Amino acid sequence: MKLDDVWTALREGLNDFRRHPQFGLFFGGIYALGGLFIVTVLIRYHLPWMIIPVAIGFPLIGPFVAVGLYEVSRRHEKGEPITWKGVLTEVFRQRERQLSWMAFAVLFVFWIWIYQVRLLLALFLGFKIPATLAAFLTLLTTTPEGIAFLMVGTVVGALLATILFSLTVISMPLLLDHDIDFVTAMITSIRVVFENPVPMFAFGLIVAAAAILALVPAFLGLFVVLPILGHATWHLYSRAIAQA
């Protein structure tokens, strides 16, 4: 694979979203509204320190939410009819297939992300955690302890994101496309990533940057960003498997 494959996949992802915006907005909306709901609950229960790690870590579960988008791109690629009934039936059918096991892997990594944030908060900030989000942000950006927490947290978070990206970027669409076990799918995904490090990690950086930027306007950017990235992931998978 080459970097050109990444740009082509992104263009094809944008084209799929333009062709079938109703599906993109639907699945992107589920993702965006889910994020807003979680943040609202955290505010309601006075846990402002959890808002930032949850918001940043939330995109980690994006590949699982994007299964419906993979199905739309798969049907378009194969010339199959794209209907709500067909797409949603295929999405719900994944509960009985190996893709459901991947959900546990994704959520497990997300749980590790939240746990390490709590651990780092205890190590660097101890009992200094303020009660409001504004005060928490001030603490993070104006104190040595807060800056150290951000630096270490960024490194650990980047490592976890890289691991999860390597496990899922190919395995998720592969499990939708073929009836294989999830362990084989994850191994295949890791192999493709490490055989094509430059284009795959470039795609990973684009996904991470776009997802974080989409969070800024109260998660609303995910209505558009998630569908484009989801469709693009399918097309990148198709190119990776074709060249494997």
Side-chain angles (χ1 to χ4, degrees):
M1 291 182 63
K2 300 179 181 178
L3 279 174
D4 286 345
D5 293 310
V6 174
W7 309 129
T8 300
L10 288 168
R11 285 195 299 270
E12 292 174 341
L14 177 59
N15 290 336
D16 280 358
F17 176 60
R18 287 173 172 171
R19 292 187 192 101
H20 311 286
Q22 69 276 26
F23 292 99
L25 293 173
F26 174 74
F27 289 108
I30 292 175
Y31 195 51
L33 295 176
L36 284 173
F37 173 76
I38 292 173
V39 169
T40 300
V41 170
L42 293 176
I43 293 174
R44 172 68 178 79
Y45 286 95
H46 307 292
L47 296 170
W49 60 271
M50 283 289 290
I51 293 175
I52 294 177
V54 166
I56 294 175
F58 193 61
L60 293 177
I61 65 174
F64 185 70
V65 180
V67 170
L69 301 168
Y70 303 154
E71 177 63 11
V72 171
S73 292
R74 186 193 71 80
R75 286 171 174 260
H76 176 79
E77 191 175 81
K78 296 182 180 300
E80 298 178 3
I82 301 174
T83 63
W84 282 107
K85 181 179 179 180
V87 172
L88 294 178
T89 297
E90 188 61 32
V91 169
F92 284 112
R93 195 170 73 88
Q94 300 310 310
R95 295 177 300 171
E96 304 168 359
R97 299 181 63 194
Q98 292 287 302
L99 195 57
S100 62
W101 288 101
M102 284 299 299
F104 288 103
V106 172
L107 293 175
F108 179 70
V109 174
F110 184 68
W111 178 84
I112 291 177
W113 162 255
I114 297 300
Y115 181 80
Q116 66 87 23
V117 168
R118 297 182 63 180
L119 177 62
L120 292 177
L121 280 171
L123 291 175
F124 286 100
L125 303 179
F127 298 101
K128 294 182 179 180
I129 302 174
T132 66
L133 179 59
F136 180 60
L137 290 174
T138 300
L139 176 65
L140 290 183
T141 56
T142 61
T143 67
E145 297 90 347
I147 294 173
F149 166 76
L150 286 176
M151 293 175 63
V152 175
T154 298
V155 172
V156 175
L159 177 61
L160 287 174
T162 299
I163 292 172
L164 189 60
F165 173 79
S166 300
L167 289 173
T168 61
V169 64
I170 298 299
S171 63
M172 288 289 199
L174 179 60
L175 287 170
L176 176 69
D177 200 27
H178 296 280
D179 191 16
I180 62 174
D181 66 275
F182 77 101
V183 175
T184 300
M186 288 193 294
I187 293 173
T188 302
S189 187
I190 293 172
R191 178 177 58 80
V192 171
V193 169
F194 282 92
E195 287 179 355
N196 306 275
V198 174
M200 295 305 294
F201 282 108
F203 183 70
L205 289 174
I206 292 171
V207 169
I212 291 174
L213 288 175
L215 297 175
V216 175
F219 289 82
L220 297 180
L222 294 173
F223 273 93
V224 174
V225 171
L226 179 73
I228 293 174
L229 294 178
H231 291 309
T233 300
W234 172 267
H235 291 291
L236 192 68
Y237 151 77
S238 294
R239 288 175 170 271
I241 295 300
Q243 298 176 28

